[in-house]
Amino acid sequence: MENNKHAIYGEGLTRIFQRGSEKLYALRGVDFQISPGEIVSIVGRSGCGKTTLLNMVGCLDTLSEGTLYIGNTEVSRLKEKDLIKVRRENIGFVFQLFYLIPTLTAYENALLPLLFARRLDKKEKVKEIFQKVGLGERLNMLPSELDGGDMQRIAIARALVNEPKIILADEPTGRLESKSKEKIFGLFKKLAEDGLAIIIATHDLGLASRADRMIRLKDGMVVN
Amino acid sequence: MNFITLAIKNLLRRKIRTTLTILSVAIAISILFSLVAFNRGYEKEMKKELQYLGYHILVVPKGCPYEAASLVLHGGKFPRYLKDEYVEEMRAVEGVKETARLFMDSETDSLLKETKIYFGIDEDYLRFKTRWKFKEGGFFTDDHSVVIGLYVSETKKLKLGDKTRAFGEDFTVSGILEQTGDQDDGFYFLPIKTSTRVSGKEGLLVAVAIKVEDLSRIEQIAEKLRAAETDMNVVSMKEVTGAIMGLVSSTRVLIYAVVLIAILISAVGVLNTILMSVFERTREIGMMKAVGSSRMDIFRLIWYETFIVCLTGGLVGSFLAVAGSSGIEKFIKKLMPYAPGGQLISADLLVIIVSVLFAVIMGILAGIYPAYRASNLMPIEAIRTE
């Protein structure tokens, strides 16, 4: 089987956690696809499987059952070393709590993925990305000197430096006030127009409803 | 930016904690540094000093022979004495080349809280002290002459021809010795007959120094001397050296044990600090994995942090040890049963290399576990916000 159309294509995605003799299904046979340029939101109550699904498609966790393609690569049975390569080349992560290193400047924080990918020769690209996310003047500022919205922009810049095809955002506006929320979502829109596939896991139904498509999860399954 | 600058910036996040950890390493390494430097210096100085003495055998009064030998080397008040008449019997022993009468007494100035050591000698002693050179003047000119060491001359501002009082009598400085680098620098040398008279010990000696004709026969000659008289101890300098080195070795073992414990505590401290910082950064490490770092990258980053702490501690510790070497030397000298007079802590390049290398090895070992723990953290921890 090949996946030429979707940025991510998953079929029967299942994740089982074993607690003693008991089996806990975090995901039960979820089918999931997203195309380049599309924004998909995932909603549901806490524990419904949003983060697990994000971990699966972000190659941070392994499937118990099912098939998953990131672009043309079948990742379900890849080893850790190969999964790291897939992550570096295809996926950018944005977290609710930003996880910026406080002693690094905005610019240095965004450089981290290039450092790990041994691609620091591409660091000029970071300045372009900062312009794109609206932080052109704040390259040398420390995270503590910026507000939540700006910190999330740095995190988005960090997610973009490896030129990924997919952005995975877990509650990206969860810690932001409404004005910043708007700006961040506007930025996601812009990135989608550039052809990136964007998945947003959120509790915020207002934000989720503005995505191109919304997937609702309950007890590890997709519900309409 | 590279992994080292990233590690440094991580350490700077908690400046007080990092500084204290570096300080604990620095203290352990400065102790190690001082000890290694001391060990190297001590043996060298000890051998040099015993060589400069020029004695092969020392005859001392009955009692602990090593205590008496140490008093002769160090200076002090003797509890027992030898009779002067024994010297002729010793000279008659086959194989004895030279003998020199030695007398010693001290006088304490309770106001100045200082003790002057007076060494009674005669011309025979010059044949033992072949390295002595006079900076000014020469040997005794009369029975109220005094020869002083350079340290005495400098600290007491005594010049040639000046008078100094000892045991209620005036003595004129007839000679000032050039620096010897041993205890002689701090002694007042008086004519032996005068010194025994003013001390009220006429006809008595504290020791007789002996040179033998054939060094390989020292023990046989010592045996013959022992047979000649019963109320004296005959010790060869070889025995004195051996006994002192033996005592030093046992003290050294104790000090090494203390250093080892200090280093272990410090290493556990480093391990604890880095491990704590790994736990505190669990999510951040997860984020790094999510954005593309491998296990090895994380291992390396945490290892560098430990390495930098220990290397900095090693360098700071070596610097502290060099800066405080005179104080440390005084402290260690107090612990030793006998310490020669020269500079015992000499900070040569090899000692610096050994100490810093030790810190580096400590860093490498202490860093393994936290780095391993960090590299095995699951990346999904970072994005778990629920």
Side-chain angles (χ1 to χ4, degrees), chain A residues 107-139:
Chain A
Y107 175 70
E108 288 169 329
N109 266 291
L111 273 185
L112 279 178
L114 292 181
L115 173 72
F116 297 134
R118 311 311 189 258
R119 286 176 60 201
L120 281 173
D121 53 311
K122 306 265 180 197
K123 61 183 175 189
E124 282 307 308
K125 182 96 188 147
V126 177
K127 288 176 186 165
E128 277 175 42
I129 292 168
F130 267 67
Q131 291 291 346
K132 197 172 183 177
V133 299
L135 281 174
E137 304 302 311
R138 295 168 200 192
L139 280 170

Side-chain angles (χ1 to χ4, degrees), chain A residues 54-207:
Chain A
L54 228 52
N55 291 343
M56 293 298 149
V57 297
C59 301
L60 292 174
D61 199 1
T62 48
L63 287 169
S64 305
E65 288 166 27
T67 311
L68 178 66
Y69 280 83
I70 304 293
N72 282 324
T73 312
E74 217 272 78
V75 297
S76 341
R77 274 148 208 95
L78 287 184
K79 288 185 176 158
E80 174 67 17
K81 199 177 87 181
D82 301 314
L83 287 174
I84 292 170
K85 195 165 177 281
V86 171
R87 278 205 299 269
R88 279 180 190 163
E89 290 173 2
N90 296 281
I91 301 165
F93 286 90
V94 177
F95 309 102
Q96 181 183 358
L97 298 175
F98 328 127
Y99 301 132
L100 300 174
I101 296 179
T103 43
L104 299 185
T105 61
Y107 175 70
E108 288 169 329
N109 266 291
L111 273 185
L112 279 178
L114 292 181
L115 173 72
F116 297 134
R118 311 311 189 258
R119 286 176 60 201
L120 281 173
D121 53 311
K122 306 265 180 197
K123 61 183 175 189
E124 282 307 308
K125 182 96 188 147
V126 177
K127 288 176 186 165
E128 277 175 42
I129 292 168
F130 267 67
Q131 291 291 346
K132 197 172 183 177
V133 299
L135 281 174
E137 304 302 311
R138 295 168 200 192
L139 280 170
N140 295 315
M141 291 179 88
L142 292 171
S144 56
E145 295 165 332
L146 300 168
D147 64 22
D150 286 346
M151 284 200 262
Q152 195 58 296
R153 282 166 199 262
I154 301 171
I156 293 171
R158 183 178 63 196
L160 293 173
V161 292
N162 268 344
E163 298 172 310
K165 297 171 186 73
I166 304 153
I167 294 286
L168 301 180
D170 192 15
E171 296 284 4
T173 57
R175 289 288 179 106
L176 305 181
E177 31 74 42
S178 52
K179 207 172 156 188
S180 294
K181 270 184 194 177
E182 271 311 308
K183 284 184 180 170
I184 294 296
F185 189 75
L187 189 56
F188 283 144
K189 275 278 201 197
K190 216 159 82 177
L191 294 172
E193 282 163 18
D194 291 344
L196 267 77
I198 296 171
I199 305 172
I200 303 170
T202 183
H203 283 104
D204 183 345
L205 288 175
L207 176 78

Side-chain angles (χ1 to χ4, degrees), chain A residues 47 50-51 55 60 84 87-88 93 95-97 99 101-104 108 113 115-116 118 120 158 170, chain B residues 1-3 6 9 13 283-284 287-294 297 300 379-380 382-383 385-386:
Chain A
K50 295 192 298 290
T51 301
N55 291 343
L60 292 174
I84 292 170
R87 278 205 299 269
R88 279 180 190 163
F93 286 90
F95 309 102
Q96 181 183 358
L97 298 175
Y99 301 132
I101 296 179
T103 43
L104 299 185
E108 288 169 329
L115 173 72
F116 297 134
R118 311 311 189 258
L120 281 173
R158 183 178 63 196
D170 192 15
Chain B
M1 191 172 68
N2 55 37
F3 280 92
L6 183 57
K9 291 203 172 191
R13 286 160 73 169
R283 290 186 162 195
E284 198 176 287
M287 172 277 290
M288 288 188 198
K289 288 193 163 185
V291 302
S293 77
S294 64
D297 289 336
R300 197 203 292 190
I380 51 171
I383 55 174
T385 50
E386 286 174 3

